Structures are given as structure tokens and as C-alpha cells.
Amino acid sequence: QVALDCGSLPALRALWELSQDAMHLKKDICWSISNITAGTRAQIQMVMDAGMLEIMVGAAATEQHTVRSEALWAISNALCGGSSEQI
């Protein structure tokens, strides 16, 4: 929660947009988001509000396997822990 309160989501989004072909960086960003979406519904909402869940969906469809795998974990965690309104 501390990382979220310190503005990590906008930073991760900006880093994603700059990462282009840096697959290891994209994988790590997806891993970070998957850890957040494994949290509370409020934390999942913060990911959604930051537009990062949409990025994860795009990554799951278009990125290389290692990135895609982490993006799918982020989506799966949000689906399992999110409210019916969030889903």
C-alpha cells in the first residue's frame, strides 16, 4: 500500500510507455501489477483507475511469452479478487 500511496502506478505506466522493446522491463512491470492485483479490491481499483489493467490486457494479447504470462497473472488476480462491479 505504501508504494501505491507514493505514486507507483503513474510511474509504472510512464515506464511502460518508455520501455518499447525492453521485454525484461515490461515483464517486471507486469509482475509488479500482478502483485498489486493480488491485494485488496481498493488496490485493484487503483490499478484500474490508472489504466494499467487495460495495458495488461493488451500485453496479454501482443507481447512475448514472458511478458504475456505475467500480464495474465495480473488479470487473473484482478478477476479473482475484484468485485462484481469491477469485473
Side-chain angles (χ1 to χ4, degrees), residues 1 3-4 8-9 12 26-47 52-53 56 69-78 81:
Q1 184 62 50
L4 292 171
S8 63
L9 288 171
L12 288 171
K26 286 185 172 187
K27 177 187 166 286
D28 288 344
I29 293 168
C30 290
W31 177 81
S32 297
I33 298 300
S34 74
N35 280 311
I36 297 168
T37 58
T40 66
R41 289 181 175 173
Q43 291 166 336
I44 292 168
Q45 189 63 49
M46 292 175 79
V47 170
M52 290 303 294
L53 200 56
M56 296 298 101
S69 176
E70 291 298 333
L72 287 168
W73 273 111
I75 296 164
S76 175
N77 289 343

Side-chain angles (χ1 to χ4, degrees), residues 11-32:
L12 288 171
R13 184 178 179 123
L15 197 55
W16 180 273
E17 292 169 0
L18 294 173
S19 64
Q20 300 290 324
D21 295 324
M23 291 303 131
H24 65 282
L25 185 55
K26 286 185 172 187
K27 177 187 166 286
D28 288 344
I29 293 168
C30 290
W31 177 81
S32 297

